[in-house]
Amino acid sequence: MIELSVVIPMYNEAEVLEKLFARLIPCIEQVTTNYEIICVDDGSQDKTVEILKGFYRQNPRIKLVCLARNFGKEAALTCGIDYTVGRAVIPIDADLQDPPELIVSLVAKWKEGYKVVLATRRSRPGDSWLKRKSAEYFYKAINSVSTVKIPTNTGDFRLIDRQVVEAVKKLPERTRFMKGIFAFAGFSTATVYFDREARAAGNTSWNYWNLWKFALEGIFSFTTVPLHVWTYIGALISFISFLWATVIIVKTLAFGNKVHGYASLMVAVLFMGGMQLLSIGIIGEYVGRIYTETKQRPVYFVEETVGI
């Protein structure tokens, strides 16, 4: 059996591939010569596939899976994990923000007996202040409402044992939030800390809108609290409405009925209308995910494989 499988989802990474393998391969070969590198091309528009085929001819341990189109990073990562055969699997990004040198420490912890070894960011100097803060609040928000605790400041970069891989492959959901899926699997866990670097080359395809959608995916995939909270909000508004109705009745009996209060009426109508639309939107998020799951479409389609 292969000792170590490294999975790298890729989308338009042609500029960084030379630097990536120059750093990655020596780090892997410090721990084992019995390894494979599964590169999953997620519908790149540049020369990523062509360059990867060249690397395969130089080193057959570098294998390639080409998806039929761009399915997204979570689907590409799922695909790569599905194709691995190693006793341990390490997902890593191609942009070198996850330092390959940390692989030595991850494998050392795994050999101590841990099934999962997390690579947690101690600092993120390559990210903007807004991105660091938004990530901090995201982890606080999701861990405050979810029964599955997502490790803070930890991406997909980690080591998972074959036993964990087989457990993850049993989770069939089409809407994939891999950080949550890894956390849901559980198993004995250790942590290795590192300082995150800036991208080695190229530009990230993750803008703030994509990050916002990704955050919502994580929250709605691993908690139903947004649904339950509207029960309490509705009860609170009903209680306030009852009190206000009591006040109006008492005032009418004591002072008579006067025609006024247009402003307060409009505020109440608009407030209640906004609350109703917001609650319907949250229900829609869950209904949309139910719709996606019931169709049971495959997470990805593979167009071509090289070396597999």
Side-chain angles (χ1 to χ4, degrees):
M1 178 179 276
I2 297 291
E3 180 77 5
L4 181 64
S5 298
V6 176
V7 177
I8 316 176
M10 296 186 176
Y11 179 70
N12 293 339
E13 302 290 357
E15 295 181 30
V16 77
L17 293 180
E18 192 76 37
K19 296 178 181 178
L20 170 66
F21 291 118
R23 286 178 59 181
L24 177 63
I25 293 175
C27 295
I28 297 174
E29 292 183 345
Q30 286 186 50
V31 295
T32 182
T33 56
N34 187 16
Y35 66 90
E36 63 177 0
I37 302 174
I38 308 291
C39 302
V40 183
D41 179 71
D42 189 25
S44 295
Q45 303 298 313
D46 61 4
K47 296 184 178 180
T48 296
V49 173
E50 180 182 334
I51 295 173
L52 287 173
K53 288 180 178 179
F55 276 107
Y56 166 73
R57 289 189 287 270
Q58 299 173 24
N59 184 351
R61 295 184 180 89
I62 300 174
K63 304 173 183 180
L64 174 61
V65 180
C66 298
L67 300 187
R69 63 170 176 82
N70 180 257
F71 286 90
K73 182 186 175 183
E74 306 300 286
L77 181 55
T78 299
C79 173
I81 290 174
D82 288 345
Y83 273 88
T84 61
V85 295
R87 293 180 56 236
V89 174
I90 298 179
I92 188 172
D93 289 343
D95 57 17
L96 291 174
Q97 288 190 287
D98 299 333
E101 292 76 13
L102 204 66
I103 289 175
V104 178
S105 299
L106 297 178
V107 173
K109 284 290 184 183
W110 172 57
K111 290 184 176 179
E112 291 178 13
Y114 293 101
K115 299 294 185 180
V116 178
V117 186
L118 304 175
T120 297
R121 303 160 189 144
R122 183 169 43 225
S123 64
R124 307 172 63 169
D127 294 335
S128 65
W129 177 87
L130 179 59
K131 190 172 182 180
R132 293 196 300 270
K133 282 297 179 183
S134 59
E136 176 185 342
Y137 293 139
F138 163 72
Y139 285 114
K140 287 181 178 179
I142 193 170
N143 284 329
S144 65
V145 297
S146 175
T147 55
V148 177
K149 301 304 179 184
I150 311 297
T152 304
N153 285 322
T154 303
D156 298 317
F157 186 32
R158 65 190 69 202
L159 182 146
I160 53 177
D161 184 82
R162 172 52 51 181
Q163 186 179 1
V164 184
V165 172
E166 295 304 320
V168 167
K169 289 167 70 172
K170 292 178 181 178
L171 300 175
E173 54 256 49
R174 273 67 180 171
T175 304
R176 312 289 288 182
F177 180 68
M178 295 305 292
K179 296 177 183 65
I181 289 174
F182 290 140
F184 179 84
F187 294 90
S188 57
T189 303
T191 302
V192 174
Y193 294 92
F194 72 100
D195 298 308
R196 196 182 194 202
E197 305 174 18
R199 282 183 65 93
N203 298 312
T204 179
S205 59
W206 286 89
N207 54 38
Y208 284 106
W209 176 244
N210 287 333
L211 290 172
W212 168 251
K213 292 192 294 183
F214 185 64
L216 291 181
E217 200 68 70
I219 291 172
F220 289 123
S221 294
F222 282 89
T223 179
T224 57
V225 168
L227 284 175
H228 300 316
V229 73
W230 288 101
T231 302
Y232 303 105
I233 292 175
L236 177 61
I237 293 175
S238 297
F239 178 69
I240 293 173
S241 300
F242 174 77
L243 292 180
W244 182 241
T246 303
V247 171
I248 291 175
I249 292 171
V250 171
K251 288 179 65 176
T252 301
L253 292 174
F255 305 105
N257 186 18
K258 296 181 179 180
V259 181
H260 61 82
Y262 174 79
S264 60
L265 178 63
M266 288 301 298
V267 169
V269 170
L270 292 174
F271 174 74
M272 289 302 300
M275 295 292 282
Q276 289 170 347
L277 289 174
L278 182 58
S279 61
I280 291 171
I282 290 177
I283 294 172
E285 290 285 348
Y286 284 98
V287 172
R289 282 160 177 78
I290 294 170
Y291 174 66
T292 299
E293 295 297 325
T294 56
K295 288 187 290 187
Q296 297 187 351
R297 290 178 177 173
V299 177
Y300 58 85
F301 287 113
V302 174
E303 180 175 352
E304 178 186 9
T305 62
V306 178
I308 295 177

